[in-house]
C-alpha cells in the first residue's frame, strides 16, 4: 500500500470523529439536524482535497502526519463549536486559509534547502516579529503579556507563532555549519566541555535575545518554547550534554532573576506554587484554580460533550479563555482523563513522526530542521498543557491545531508543510541517485 | 546524530508522561479535594441546573418546588409563604444557605446519587433531577395553629404518638422563605434579636415548661413504684423548698390530697415534695428516658435543634439534676433553670399517650423519585420505652381528669375525651405578672392519635388553661375532624 493510500485511509477516522463530535454537540443542544453531516462532509472534502494535492506534490511524504493533524483540527473545531458557534465558523475559515497556505508553502518551497541562504534574513525577521507586539500603537497586551499585534478589523496577529518557525530554520541552518567546529574546537575546563567562543558567540546572542524577549514580551511560556527548541537542536547537533546543562543553568539563572524581579512573572510563579491561595483567588489565581476545578469536574470519563459549565449563572466567565489558553481544561472537563490522554497521545504521535522524519533525513540541515520543528511543536504543547495542569506557571500560548486562533492555525500549517517537505525528500526512493 | 535524537525523543515522551500524570492528579487522585474546595463554585452551579425535588404536605399540597428560569437554572418557590418557613426552611444554593428540611433532606432533594447511577441516568437520556420529599405535615392544621397563635410569639407542635409523625410544627414569628434570597432581607431577619424570626421556637426555643413538667414528675413517681395515683400527700401552701417558701397558685392550701387531685389542680407544693423524695438520680433517669439532655432524633438539621434540660444561667450549658446547683423541688414543678423546647414537651405527652413508648419524631413520610416511585419510606421506629404501659395508663386517667374537672377544661372537645396538662411558667423578675402559658395534651384519650404541645411567649397574666388550651383545642379539632 502506498504512503498516500495509507494517508487516505487515515483520514476516514478523522472524518468520522468530526461527524460524531458535531452530532454529540447537536444532540446536547436538543436539535439533531443534518448539520453535523454537513460539517463532516465539508471537512472530509477539504481533507481529501489536501490529500489529492499531497498525492501529486509530495508522493513520498510521511502518511500519518496529515491525518493526525486532521484529527486534532477537527477535534478542536468541535470543541470550539461547543464553546461558541461564531468562533467555530471563523475557525473553519482559518482552517481553509491555513490549508491554502499549506499548499502555497509546499509549492513555493519545494526545495526547502534554499531557506539556508536566507538564514540571517529569517532570523532578523523573526526577532522583529517578536518585538512587534511591544511597539506602541500596534501592540496588544493580553493578560499582562505582549503577544499580539492588532490588525484593525481582521484579528489580533500573534507573531510568536511564526517567529518560532523562523528561529528554528535559522538555528538548524546555523548549527549545520558550526556543529563540527563546536565539538572539535571545544576545550575541557575543570572537567566541563566549553565550546569555542568564536562559534558559540552567536548562540550566546540567541540566549541573550531570548532572555531579552522574555522581558520585552513578558512571556515565560514562549521563551521556554524557543529556548527549549534551541537546546534540543544544540544537543542533537553536537551530542554534547554539557552544552545543554550549561544552557539550562543559564536559563534557570535568567528565569530566577525574572521570577523575582518582574512583578508580572513573579505573580505567575506565586500562583503556580500555591494555586488555591484564597487571597490570590479572586484576581490572579482565578484562571488556574478554575482550570484545575474544571479538570476535577471531568474525572476519569468526563461530563460529555457540551456538559461542562463555562459560565457562572450571572453570565461571567468561570473558565476564562476557554477557546484558547484553557481549551485543554474544557476537553478534560467534557471527555475526562481518557479524552485528554487521547489528545496528548495524538500530539506525541505527531512528534514521533517528526522525529522519524529527522532520522530518515539524509542531510544535517533536514535532520536538524525536522528536529527543531518537532521539538518546538512538542514544547508548545508542553508549555500550554503543563500550564493549565500547573506543572509549570501558566502562560498564554495556543494548543496547536486545537485552540481557536488564526495565527496559530496558519503557522502550524506552515510547520506541517515543512515537515512533509523534509519527509518527502527523505523518503524519495531515487533521492540518493538524484543527489 | 541518531543517538541524541532517540534520547531527545525519550525526553519528550517523559514530558508527555508528566502531563498525563498531572492531568490524572487533578481528574482522579485529587479530584475530591478540588470538588470540595471552598472556592470551587462549580458543584454549586451544577446544582442550579438540576431540578431540585419538591417538598409536599401530607395532603400532597406543594410546600416547596423548583421553577425553571430563562437562563436554564432553577429557582425555588414556596407557594405557602411563611406558613411553612420553619419546618421546610429555605434553599438558596447560590449563597449556599440551606435550612430546615431543605437542609436535612438535601441529598434526596438535590438528586445526589452515586456516580454509577448518574451514568445510567445519562445513558437512559434522562436529565438528572432531585427526588420529592413527602412530609407528614398537615397544611390545614398548620394554618389553624398559626392563626390560633394570632401573631403572638410562640410555638405549636403536634405529633402522631403512634408513629412519631410530626403533623404540625409552628413557630411564630415566621418568615417568608421566598424572600430570604435577597441578602438584605436575610440580614434583616438575621439581625432581629427581639422577634428572632429565623429561630425555630419548636426546636430551638428554650422555655421553662412550668406545670406541664409535672406530667414527667408524676410519671417518674408512679413508674418508680414510690407513688400511686391514689397516694396522699400534703398540699398546704406555702412550703419551704430549698430554704425558700414555695406557694401554690393564689397561695391555696389543699390539705392531704391524692396525686391525681394534685395533678388536676396543679398543686406545686405536692410535686415539689414528690420531686425531692424521688431524688436527683431518679429524676435524671426519667428525664433522659423521655429524651431530655440529648438533641431530638428528628430529621432536622442538628444546628436548628437544642437539647432540653436544666441549664446553667451563666454559661448556658446543660446541668444534670444530680448537680447541686439544681433546686430539685422547683425543677419538679417545671421552674428552676429548666429550658425546654415545645418539641420535647410534645414528645413527653406522646410517650404517655403511646403506652409509655416514645417514637422517634420525623417530618419525612417518604421520598419519591421524579417518576413517582417511592425510594424510601420512613418507618416508625421506637426511641425508648420511657415508662411502663401501666404507668402510662395511670397517667392517661390523671390527665383526663385535668381536662374534665381541673385547670384544662378549656380544651374539652365534643364527643372526644382529651387528656392534658396546663402550665404557667413564671418569667422575668419575681412579682412581675409576665408568664409563659403552656398546654400539653393528647386525644382521643382512649385511643390517642394526636399529642400536642402549645406555648405562648410572654403573656401578661395569662394562664395555660386560658391562653394555650384554646389554641390546642382548635388544632386538635382540625387534626381529628379534618
Amino acid at each position: 500500500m502506498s504512503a498516500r493510500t495509507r494517508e487516505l485511509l487515515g483520514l476516514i477516522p478523522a472524518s468520522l470523529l468530526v461527524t460524531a463530535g458535531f452530532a454529540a454537540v447537536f444532540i446536547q443542544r436538543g436539535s439533531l439536524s443534518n448539520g453535523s453531516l454537513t460539517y463532516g462532509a465539508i471537512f472530509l472534502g477539504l481533507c481529501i482535497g489536501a490529500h489529492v494535492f499531497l498525492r501529486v506534490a509530495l508522493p513520498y511524504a510521511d502518511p500519518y502526519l496529515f491525518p493526525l493533524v486532521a484529527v486534532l483540527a477537527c477535534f478542536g473545531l468541535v470543541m470550539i463549536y461547543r464553546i461558541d458557534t461564531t468562533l467555530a465558523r471563523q475557525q473553519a475559515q482559518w482552517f481553509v486559509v491555513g490549508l491554502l497556505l499549506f499548499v502555497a508553502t509546499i509549492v513555493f518551497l519545494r526545495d526547502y534547502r534554499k531557506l539556508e541562504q536566507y538564514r540571517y534574513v529569517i532570523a532578523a525577521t523573526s526577532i522583529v516579529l517578536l518585538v512587534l507586539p511591544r511597539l506602541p500603537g500596534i501592540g496588544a497586551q493580553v493578560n499582562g503579556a505582549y503577544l499580539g499585534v492588532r490588525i484593525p478589523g481582521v484579528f489580533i496577529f500573534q507573531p510568536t507563532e511564526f517567529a518560532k518557525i523562523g528561529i528554528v530554520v535559522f538555528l538548524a541552518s546555523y548549527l549545520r555549519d558550526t556543529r563540527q567546529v563546536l565539538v572539535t574546537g571545544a576545550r575541557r575546563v575543570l572537567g566541563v566541555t566549553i565550546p569555542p567562543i568564536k562559534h558559540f558567540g552567536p548562540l550566546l546572542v540567541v540566549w541573550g535575545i531570548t532572555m531579552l524577549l522574555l522581558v520585552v514580551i513578558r512571556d515565560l511560556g514562549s521563551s521556554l518554547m524557543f529556548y527549549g527548541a534551541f537546546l534540543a537542536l544544540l544537543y542533537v547537533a553536537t551530542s554534547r550534554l554539557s552544552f545543554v546543562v550549561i544552557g539550562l543553568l543559564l536559563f534557570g539563572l535568567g528565569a530566577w532573576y525574572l521570577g523575582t524581579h518582574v512583578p508580572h512573572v513573579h505573580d505567575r510563579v506565586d500562583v503556580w506554587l500555591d494555586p488555591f491561595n484564597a487571597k490570590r483567588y479572586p484576581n490572579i489565581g482565578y484562571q488556574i484554580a478554575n482550570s484545575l476545578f474544571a479538570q476535577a469536574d471531568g474525572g476519569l470519563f468526563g461530563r460529555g460533550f457540551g456538559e461542562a459549565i463555562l459560565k457562572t449563572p450571572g453570565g461571567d466567565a468561570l473558565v476564562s479563555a476557554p477557546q484558547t489558553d484553557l481549551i485543554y481544561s474544557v476537553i478534560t472537563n467534557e471527555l475526562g482523563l481518557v479524552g485528554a490522554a487521547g489528545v496528548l497521545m495524538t500530539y506525541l504521535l505527531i512528534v514521533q513522526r517528526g522525529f522519524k522524519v529527522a532520522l530518515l533525513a539524509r542531510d544535517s540541515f533536514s535532520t536538524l530542521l525536522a528536529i527543531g520543528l518537532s521539538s518546538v511543536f512538542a514544547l508548545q504543547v508542553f508549555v500550554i498543557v503543563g500550564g493549565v495542569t500547573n506543572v509549570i506557571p501558566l502562560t498564554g500560548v495556543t494548543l496547536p491545531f486545537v485552540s481557536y486562533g488564526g495565527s496559530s492555525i496558519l503557522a502550524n500549517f506552515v510547520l506541517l508543510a515543512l515537515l512533509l517537505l523534509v519527509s518527502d525528500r527523505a523518503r524519495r526512493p531515487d533521492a540518493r541517485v538524484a543527489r | 546524530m541518531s543517538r541524541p535524537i532517540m534520547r531527545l525523543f525519550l525526553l519528550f515522551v517523559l514530558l508527555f508522561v508528566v502531563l498525563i500524570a498531572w492531568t490524572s492528579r487533578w481528574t482522579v487522585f485529587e479530584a475530591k479535594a478540588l470538588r470540595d474546595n471552598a472556592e470551587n463554585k462549580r458543584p454549586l452551579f451544577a446544582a442550579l441546573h438540576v431540578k431540585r425535588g419538591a417538598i409536599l404536605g401530607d395532603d400532597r399540597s406543594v410546600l416547596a418546588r423548583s421553577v425553571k428560569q430563562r437562563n436554564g437554572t432553577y429557582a425555588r418557590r414556596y407557594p405557602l409563604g411563611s406558613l411553612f418557613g420553619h419546618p421546610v426552611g429555605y434553599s438558596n444554593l447560590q449563597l449556599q444557605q440551606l435550612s430546615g428540611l431543605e437542609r436535612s433532606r438535601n441529598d434526596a432533594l438535590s438528586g445526589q446519587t452515586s456516580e454509577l447511577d448518574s451514568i445510567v441516568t445519562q445513558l437512559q437520556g434522562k436529565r438528572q433531577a432531585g427526588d420529592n420529599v413527602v412530609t407528614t405535615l398537615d397544611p390545614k392544621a398548620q394554618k389553624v395553629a398559626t392563626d390560633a397563635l394570632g401573631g403572638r410569639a410562640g410555638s405549636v407542635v403536634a405529633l402522631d404518638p403512634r408513629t412519631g409523625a410530626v403533623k404540625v410544627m409552628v413557630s411564630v414569628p415566621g418568615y417568608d422563605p421566598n424572600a430570604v434570597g435577597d441578602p438584605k432581607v436575610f440580614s434583616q431577619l438575621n439581625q432581629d434579636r427581639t422577634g428572632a424570626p429565623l429561630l425555630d421556637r419548636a426546636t430551638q426555643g428554650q422555655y421553662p415548661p412550668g406545670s406541664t413538667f409535672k406530667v414527667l414528675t408524676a410519671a417518674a413517681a408512679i413508674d418508680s413504684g414510690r407513688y400511686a395515683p391514689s397516694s396522699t400527700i400534703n398540699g398546704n401552701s406555702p412550703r419551704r423548698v430549698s430554704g425558700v417558701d414555695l406557694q401554690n397558685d393564689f397561695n391555696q392550701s389543699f390539705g392531704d390530697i391524692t396525686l391525681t387531685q394534685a395533678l388536676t389542680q396543679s398543686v406545686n407544693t405536692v410535686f415539689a415534695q414528690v420531686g425531692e423524695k424521688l431524688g436527683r438520680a431518679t429524676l435524671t433517669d426519667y428525664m433522659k428516658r423521655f429524651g431530655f439532655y440529648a438533641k431530638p432524633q428528628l430529621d432536622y438539621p442538628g444546628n436548628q435543634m437544642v437539647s432540653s434540660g436544666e441549664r446553667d444561667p451563666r454559661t448556658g450549658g446543660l446541668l444534670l439534676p444530680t448537680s447541686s446547683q439544681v433546686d430539685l423541688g422547683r425543677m419538679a414543678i417545671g421552674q428552676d433553670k429548666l429550658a425546654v423546647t415545645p418539641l420535647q414537651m410534645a414528645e413527653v405527652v406522646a410517650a404517655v399517650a403511646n403506652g409509655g413508648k416514645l417514637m422517634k419524631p420525623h417530618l419525612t413520610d417518604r421520598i419519591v423519585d421524579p417518576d413517582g416511585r417511592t425510594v424510601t419510606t420512613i418507618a416508625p421506629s421506637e426511641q425508648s420505652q420511657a415508662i411502663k404501659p401501666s404507668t402510662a395508663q395511670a397517667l392517661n386517667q390523671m390527665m383526663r381528669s385535668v381536662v374534665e374537672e381541673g385547670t384544662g377544661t378549656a380544651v374539652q372537645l365534643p364527643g372526644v375525651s382529651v387528656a392534658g396538662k396546663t402550665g404557667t411558667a413564671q418569667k422575668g423578675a419575681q412579682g412581675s405578672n409576665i408568664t409563659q402559658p403552656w398546654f400539653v395534651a393528647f386525644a382521643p384519650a382512649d385511643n390517642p392519635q394526636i399529642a400536642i404541645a402549645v406555648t405562648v411567649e410572654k403573656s401578661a397574666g395569662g394562664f395555660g388553661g386560658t391562653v394555650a388550651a384554646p389554641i390546642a383545642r382548635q388544632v386538635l379539632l382540625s387534626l381529628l375532624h379534618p
Side-chain angles (χ1 to χ4, degrees), chain A residues 347-357 374, chain B residues 9:
Chain A
Y347 280 111
L348 195 57
L349 282 174
I350 292 178
V351 175
Q352 190 266 335
R353 293 321 293 176
F355 273 66
K356 182 93 179 163
V357 170
S374 310
Chain B
F9 182 66

PDB file of all heavy atoms in Angstrom, chain A residues 347-357 374, chain B residues 9:
ATOM      1  N   TYR A 347      -0.753  14.133  19.951  1.00  0.00           N
ATOM      2  CA  TYR A 347       0.389  15.043  19.813  1.00  0.00           C
ATOM      3  C   TYR A 347       1.702  14.272  19.832  1.00  0.00           C
ATOM      4  O   TYR A 347       2.609  14.541  19.050  1.00  0.00           O
ATOM      5  CB  TYR A 347       0.385  16.090  20.938  1.00  0.00           C
ATOM      6  CG  TYR A 347      -0.569  17.214  20.673  1.00  0.00           C
ATOM      7  CD1 TYR A 347      -1.710  17.371  21.436  1.00  0.00           C
ATOM      8  CD2 TYR A 347      -0.334  18.130  19.651  1.00  0.00           C
ATOM      9  CE1 TYR A 347      -2.599  18.402  21.197  1.00  0.00           C
ATOM     10  CE2 TYR A 347      -1.214  19.159  19.395  1.00  0.00           C
ATOM     11  CZ  TYR A 347      -2.347  19.291  20.175  1.00  0.00           C
ATOM     12  OH  TYR A 347      -3.208  20.313  19.917  1.00  0.00           O
ATOM     13  N   LEU A 348       1.780  13.308  20.736  1.00  0.00           N
ATOM     14  CA  LEU A 348       3.020  12.553  20.858  1.00  0.00           C
ATOM     15  C   LEU A 348       3.285  11.768  19.576  1.00  0.00           C
ATOM     16  O   LEU A 348       4.439  11.653  19.135  1.00  0.00           O
ATOM     17  CB  LEU A 348       2.944  11.615  22.068  1.00  0.00           C
ATOM     18  CG  LEU A 348       4.271  11.023  22.525  1.00  0.00           C
ATOM     19  CD1 LEU A 348       5.271  12.115  22.857  1.00  0.00           C
ATOM     20  CD2 LEU A 348       4.093  10.107  23.723  1.00  0.00           C
ATOM     21  N   LEU A 349       2.217  11.256  18.962  1.00  0.00           N
ATOM     22  CA  LEU A 349       2.383  10.539  17.691  1.00  0.00           C
ATOM     23  C   LEU A 349       2.917  11.471  16.605  1.00  0.00           C
ATOM     24  O   LEU A 349       3.785  11.086  15.821  1.00  0.00           O
ATOM     25  CB  LEU A 349       1.044   9.925  17.248  1.00  0.00           C
ATOM     26  CG  LEU A 349       0.642   8.634  17.974  1.00  0.00           C
ATOM     27  CD1 LEU A 349      -0.758   8.208  17.552  1.00  0.00           C
ATOM     28  CD2 LEU A 349       1.650   7.525  17.689  1.00  0.00           C
ATOM     29  N   ILE A 350       2.400  12.707  16.585  1.00  0.00           N
ATOM     30  CA  ILE A 350       2.905  13.679  15.603  1.00  0.00           C
ATOM     31  C   ILE A 350       4.389  13.933  15.844  1.00  0.00           C
ATOM     32  O   ILE A 350       5.195  13.930  14.906  1.00  0.00           O
ATOM     33  CB  ILE A 350       2.096  14.995  15.678  1.00  0.00           C
ATOM     34  CG1 ILE A 350       0.671  14.746  15.193  1.00  0.00           C
ATOM     35  CG2 ILE A 350       2.772  16.094  14.842  1.00  0.00           C
ATOM     36  CD1 ILE A 350      -0.227  15.951  15.255  1.00  0.00           C
ATOM     37  N   VAL A 351       4.748  14.109  17.126  1.00  0.00           N
ATOM     38  CA  VAL A 351       6.155  14.355  17.462  1.00  0.00           C
ATOM     39  C   VAL A 351       6.986  13.141  17.047  1.00  0.00           C
ATOM     40  O   VAL A 351       8.078  13.274  16.470  1.00  0.00           O
ATOM     41  CB  VAL A 351       6.302  14.641  18.971  1.00  0.00           C
ATOM     42  CG1 VAL A 351       7.768  14.765  19.349  1.00  0.00           C
ATOM     43  CG2 VAL A 351       5.553  15.917  19.341  1.00  0.00           C
ATOM     44  N   GLN A 352       6.451  11.974  17.282  1.00  0.00           N
ATOM     45  CA  GLN A 352       7.167  10.750  16.920  1.00  0.00           C
ATOM     46  C   GLN A 352       7.393  10.688  15.401  1.00  0.00           C
ATOM     47  O   GLN A 352       8.479  10.349  14.943  1.00  0.00           O
ATOM     48  CB  GLN A 352       6.361   9.547  17.414  1.00  0.00           C
ATOM     49  CG  GLN A 352       7.091   8.212  17.337  1.00  0.00           C
ATOM     50  CD  GLN A 352       6.784   7.453  16.055  1.00  0.00           C
ATOM     51  OE1 GLN A 352       5.740   7.658  15.451  1.00  0.00           O
ATOM     52  NE2 GLN A 352       7.707   6.598  15.634  1.00  0.00           N
ATOM     53  N   ARG A 353       6.364  11.058  14.632  1.00  0.00           N
ATOM     54  CA  ARG A 353       6.516  11.068  13.169  1.00  0.00           C
ATOM     55  C   ARG A 353       7.580  12.095  12.766  1.00  0.00           C
ATOM     56  O   ARG A 353       8.376  11.854  11.864  1.00  0.00           O
ATOM     57  CB  ARG A 353       5.196  11.396  12.466  1.00  0.00           C
ATOM     58  CG  ARG A 353       4.085  10.372  12.573  1.00  0.00           C
ATOM     59  CD  ARG A 353       4.505   8.952  12.500  1.00  0.00           C
ATOM     60  NE  ARG A 353       5.031   8.535  11.195  1.00  0.00           N
ATOM     61  CZ  ARG A 353       5.534   7.331  10.944  1.00  0.00           C
ATOM     62  NH1 ARG A 353       5.599   6.422  11.909  1.00  0.00           N
ATOM     63  NH2 ARG A 353       5.988   7.021   9.745  1.00  0.00           N
ATOM     64  N   GLY A 354       7.562  13.225  13.454  1.00  0.00           N
ATOM     65  CA  GLY A 354       8.552  14.270  13.167  1.00  0.00           C
ATOM     66  C   GLY A 354       9.968  13.769  13.411  1.00  0.00           C
ATOM     67  O   GLY A 354      10.887  14.014  12.612  1.00  0.00           O
ATOM     68  N   PHE A 355      10.155  13.052  14.500  1.00  0.00           N
ATOM     69  CA  PHE A 355      11.479  12.513  14.820  1.00  0.00           C
ATOM     70  C   PHE A 355      11.877  11.432  13.815  1.00  0.00           C
ATOM     71  O   PHE A 355      13.038  11.296  13.452  1.00  0.00           O
ATOM     72  CB  PHE A 355      11.505  11.970  16.249  1.00  0.00           C
ATOM     73  CG  PHE A 355      11.833  13.031  17.260  1.00  0.00           C
ATOM     74  CD1 PHE A 355      10.958  14.083  17.492  1.00  0.00           C
ATOM     75  CD2 PHE A 355      13.030  13.002  17.958  1.00  0.00           C
ATOM     76  CE1 PHE A 355      11.272  15.072  18.401  1.00  0.00           C
ATOM     77  CE2 PHE A 355      13.351  13.991  18.871  1.00  0.00           C
ATOM     78  CZ  PHE A 355      12.466  15.027  19.094  1.00  0.00           C
ATOM     79  N   LYS A 356      10.880  10.685  13.380  1.00  0.00           N
ATOM     80  CA  LYS A 356      11.126   9.656  12.365  1.00  0.00           C
ATOM     81  C   LYS A 356      11.636  10.322  11.086  1.00  0.00           C
ATOM     82  O   LYS A 356      12.597   9.841  10.468  1.00  0.00           O
ATOM     83  CB  LYS A 356       9.810   8.921  12.116  1.00  0.00           C
ATOM     84  CG  LYS A 356       9.895   7.793  11.128  1.00  0.00           C
ATOM     85  CD  LYS A 356      10.166   6.484  11.844  1.00  0.00           C
ATOM     86  CE  LYS A 356      10.237   5.346  10.835  1.00  0.00           C
ATOM     87  NZ  LYS A 356      10.885   4.174  11.411  1.00  0.00           N
ATOM     88  N   VAL A 357      10.999  11.435  10.730  1.00  0.00           N
ATOM     89  CA  VAL A 357      11.435  12.197   9.564  1.00  0.00           C
ATOM     90  C   VAL A 357      12.896  12.602   9.742  1.00  0.00           C
ATOM     91  O   VAL A 357      13.722  12.462   8.832  1.00  0.00           O
ATOM     92  CB  VAL A 357      10.540  13.439   9.359  1.00  0.00           C
ATOM     93  CG1 VAL A 357      11.138  14.375   8.298  1.00  0.00           C
ATOM     94  CG2 VAL A 357       9.132  13.033   8.968  1.00  0.00           C
ATOM     95  N   SER A 374       9.726  19.651  15.188  1.00  0.00           N
ATOM     96  CA  SER A 374       9.028  18.722  16.078  1.00  0.00           C
ATOM     97  C   SER A 374       9.181  19.156  17.531  1.00  0.00           C
ATOM     98  O   SER A 374       8.240  19.078  18.316  1.00  0.00           O
ATOM     99  CB  SER A 374       9.580  17.306  15.934  1.00  0.00           C
ATOM    100  OG  SER A 374       9.638  16.946  14.592  1.00  0.00           O
TER     101      SER A 374
ATOM    102  N   PHE B   9      13.901  12.237  21.969  1.00  0.00           N
ATOM    103  CA  PHE B   9      12.523  11.762  21.860  1.00  0.00           C
ATOM    104  C   PHE B   9      12.063  11.172  23.194  1.00  0.00           C
ATOM    105  O   PHE B   9      10.944  11.430  23.640  1.00  0.00           O
ATOM    106  CB  PHE B   9      12.388  10.724  20.740  1.00  0.00           C
ATOM    107  CG  PHE B   9      10.969  10.256  20.575  1.00  0.00           C
ATOM    108  CD1 PHE B   9       9.987  11.135  20.134  1.00  0.00           C
ATOM    109  CD2 PHE B   9      10.607   8.956  20.887  1.00  0.00           C
ATOM    110  CE1 PHE B   9       8.670  10.716  20.008  1.00  0.00           C
ATOM    111  CE2 PHE B   9       9.285   8.528  20.764  1.00  0.00           C
ATOM    112  CZ  PHE B   9       8.324   9.408  20.313  1.00  0.00           C
TER     113      PHE B   9
END
